[in-house]
Structure formats: C-alpha cells, structure tokens
Amino acid sequence: MAPPRSLPELIEDTIAEVLLRIPPDEPAHLVRASLVCKLWRRILLDPAFLRRYREFHRIPPLLGVLRNSITASLFQSFRYVPTTSASTIPQPAFDCVRWRALSCRHGRVLHDMGFYGVDLVVWDPITGDLQKLPKSSITISFYSSAAVLCAAGSCNHLGCHGGPFLVVFVSSHDGRPGELFARVGVYSSETGAWDTPAPLYLAGVRCEVDRNRNGALIGDNIYFSLELGEKFLKFDLGNNSLSMMDPPDLYNCGVLLMQTEEGSLGLAGIRGSRLCLWSREVDPKGDAGWVPRRFIKIQKLFPNNTPRYRRSVIGFADGVGVIFV
C-alpha cells in the first residue's frame, strides 16, 4: 500500500489540475499564472505538465498568421500577424526580405529565400532554429508549391520540435506540345538529400501548379492544386508516386484543399455569397467521389460594397479547423 500523500503534495497536485484547465487560446493567461508565485511557475515550466497540457487540450491554439506581401520596393516578403493579445512568437532575428512562406505545419515553416523555390529554409518559430536545405536536382519553375511535415512515425505532433522532417516540392513545366508535366522533389532531414520520383505528364491540362496554394496533408498523401482548381495532384509518400484527380463542379472557382473534421480530404471554395465545403468519400461500391457537406452564407461578413469577385478562400490552419477568406 502506497504511503499517504503529504498536504503540500496534495495542494500542488490540486493547483496543477486547476492550471491544466486554463484555455490555450490565449497564451497570456499562462504567463500571468506563472507570475503568481514560485510554485505556480515551477508547475507551469515542468516538461511533464506541459506534455499533459498539450494532451489534455489536444487541439492547438491559433497563435497567428504568416502573411506574404509585396513591399513598396516590389520585394516579396512575409510578416507574422498575431491573433492573440500577447504574441508568443518573436519576430524573426534574421533578414527575411524577399522571403516567402510556402508551408506551415507541425511547428515548422518552410520559406523560399528567393522567388522560384531554389533556396529553401525550414524555420522553427518557437525555438528560432533555421535550417537551410541543399538545392534540389529538379528544375524549379515559377509555378510551384510545397509542403513541410514531421517525419517521426510515432509523433502526435503536439510538440515535435527538433525532430526529423520532410519537404515535398512540386513544380510544373512545359512538356510535349500542348501538354504540361509535373516534377516532385522530396527532401529528408535524416538523409540530408533530395529524392526525385518520376514526373507526371498532365495530359489535356491548361493550368500550371498554383503557387499560392500549399499542399494539404491527408494521411500519407499530399495534395496540390492547379490554378483555378482545374485539377488536383496527389503525391503518395508511401509509394513515392504522383497522380492526378478531378475536382467537384465549382465552376472553376479558386478552391482550397484542406482536411475535414473526420480526417479525410476536403476543399472549400466561394460560390456567390456562400462558402462551399466538400469532402472526398468512398461509396459502398468502392468508388471515390466528391460529396457536398455544407454551404455557409457569408454575405453578412463582408461590407456591402465588397465586389463578389474579390472574395476567395486563401488559407486553412491545419489541426485548428480555421478557414481564411
């Protein structure tokens, strides 16, 4: 039989249970709690408590947005825009002029230091670590997109800083007369090298890879969009292969690939004054197809003088369920 707990131990356990229930969507609350006394600060800084805190709340908070923009001197750059009252992410301590954020997932941000995806770096905004990637052997075009993801098989992605990661880069090029082809490069931080799977010819396709849409990770597959949502590209990490699939009928409007609440492939797009949500599902016969899920009226969210052609879906926060319009 275990000996009875002392009163100070019971008090500390009770305080830990109270602190465990502080909502994570406003980090300033945790900072203020750590200033109450030395005991509270010691509890909040304990790695075991932080691990329990992440597992208890599961869904990570949305701390901010990385916004790409064109400066007054026509240089492309990015800036971090916090969505909480107290930002927990410091501004980058490096010169990020002409940098462009390509992908953000699992605590890492993939940046293009130039304009064509030739010079890539992976940045950990929490620790400040910066890792420059070697140049890929594939030819990079202006029309390209990318995705960064954790490569640790057993990781729950609640705090995978410093672990191995993968970068998947896709680029489209002119191929045969009237055709395009797409090439993929896969970088592994464990090997420090790029792998280049076989290219895919995009027969009958008119649009290039959409450089303003990053890849959507669903299971072991990463999905990329062509411009105007004409087609989608699917890269299978397990088979190291690239394939093409059709979108639903959204009148070729700009759509955004995303993960649904059930963990399957979904997409969001604007049709008129509604936000349309679709999901990729398999019917009883085993055939996969697009199924409409929700149509949300968003007319009242915009000023009355906002033209409809100015409305579009521009981003999705992985793991948080937030769509940016």
Side-chain angles (χ1 to χ4, degrees):
M1 181 176 179
R5 308 287 301 275
S6 65
L7 182 59
E9 289 177 328
L10 292 175
I11 293 176
E12 183 171 337
D13 290 345
T14 303
I15 294 175
E17 290 299 320
V18 173
L19 296 177
L20 189 66
R21 285 157 176 80
I22 295 179
D25 54 352
E26 188 53 73
H29 297 335
L30 290 174
V31 176
R32 295 190 185 101
S34 69
L35 299 176
V36 172
C37 63
K38 292 182 179 180
L39 174 60
W40 285 33
R41 179 176 176 82
R42 178 166 58 83
I43 294 174
L44 288 169
L45 293 180
D46 184 3
F49 173 83
L50 295 176
R51 184 166 53 252
R52 286 186 60 207
Y53 187 82
R54 289 191 293 263
E55 293 173 351
F56 182 82
H57 293 281
R58 300 298 301 176
I59 299 177
L62 179 65
L63 300 179
V65 179
L66 290 171
R67 180 182 179 184
N68 294 317
S69 59
I70 303 296
T71 64
S73 55
L74 300 183
F75 288 152
Q76 182 161 286
S77 183
F78 81 95
R79 65 187 181 98
Y80 173 69
V81 182
T83 56
T84 59
S85 60
S87 174
T88 59
I89 299 179
Q91 290 296 330
F94 47 85
D95 183 10
C96 53
V97 176
R98 300 191 183 185
W99 285 33
R100 180 168 65 102
L102 300 179
S103 175
C104 181
R105 183 180 291 106
H106 300 159
R108 302 170 179 86
V109 183
L110 177 65
H111 286 290
D112 180 3
M113 294 191 298
F115 201 62
Y116 293 100
V118 177
D119 298 309
L120 302 175
V121 294
V122 173
W123 173 47
D124 187 327
I126 301 297
T127 65
D129 293 338
L130 199 66
Q131 182 172 340
K132 186 176 181 179
L133 275 57
K135 287 182 171 57
S136 172
S137 60
I138 68 170
T139 303
I140 304 297
S141 75
F142 178 80
Y143 301 99
S144 56
S145 184
V148 61
L149 62 146
C150 175
S154 59
C155 185
N156 59 9
H157 309 310
L158 296 178
C160 52
H161 301 285
F165 62 87
L166 293 175
V167 170
V168 178
F169 201 92
V170 61
S171 181
S172 58
H173 309 262
D174 293 327
R176 301 165 184 169
E179 292 185 0
L180 298 173
F181 72 94
R183 300 200 65 178
V184 175
V186 182
Y187 174 81
S188 169
S189 65
E190 295 180 289
T191 63
W194 288 88
D195 184 23
T196 54
L200 172 70
Y201 279 95
L202 310 177
V205 172
R206 299 163 296 173
C207 294
E208 307 264 6
V209 170
D210 193 338
R211 70 192 310 266
N212 294 314
R213 312 280 185 184
N214 57 13
L217 175 64
I218 312 293
D220 290 333
N221 302 314
I222 302 179
Y223 297 86
F224 298 94
S225 178
L226 300 186
E227 290 180 329
L228 301 178
E230 181 185 14
K231 297 283 185 180
F232 299 139
L233 299 178
K234 171 186 173 182
F235 181 72
D236 190 321
L237 289 166
N239 298 328
N240 215 26
S241 60
L242 190 66
S243 58
M244 188 167 56
M245 56 190 297
D246 293 320
D249 180 19
L250 278 174
Y251 304 120
N252 282 341
C253 72
V255 295
L256 182 78
L257 293 165
M258 51 178 265
Q259 186 181 61
T260 66
E261 296 176 351
E262 295 78 19
S264 61
L265 177 64
L267 62 82
I270 300 292
R271 177 186 286 176
S273 61
R274 296 183 300 173
L275 174 65
C276 306
L277 303 180
W278 297 65
S279 65
R280 185 83 170 172
E281 300 181 5
V282 180
D283 61 23
K285 297 181 180 179
D287 298 325
W290 291 101
V291 178
R293 297 294 300 271
R294 296 176 65 188
F295 296 92
I296 305 171
K297 294 183 178 180
I298 57 175
Q299 177 68 34
K300 295 182 180 181
L301 300 179
F302 299 96
N304 293 330
N305 59 349
T306 304
R308 289 190 176 185
Y309 68 85
R310 294 291 302 275
R311 305 168 186 172
S312 62
V313 180
I314 61 172
F316 175 74
D318 271 331
V320 184
V322 175
I323 300 174
F324 297 95
V325 178

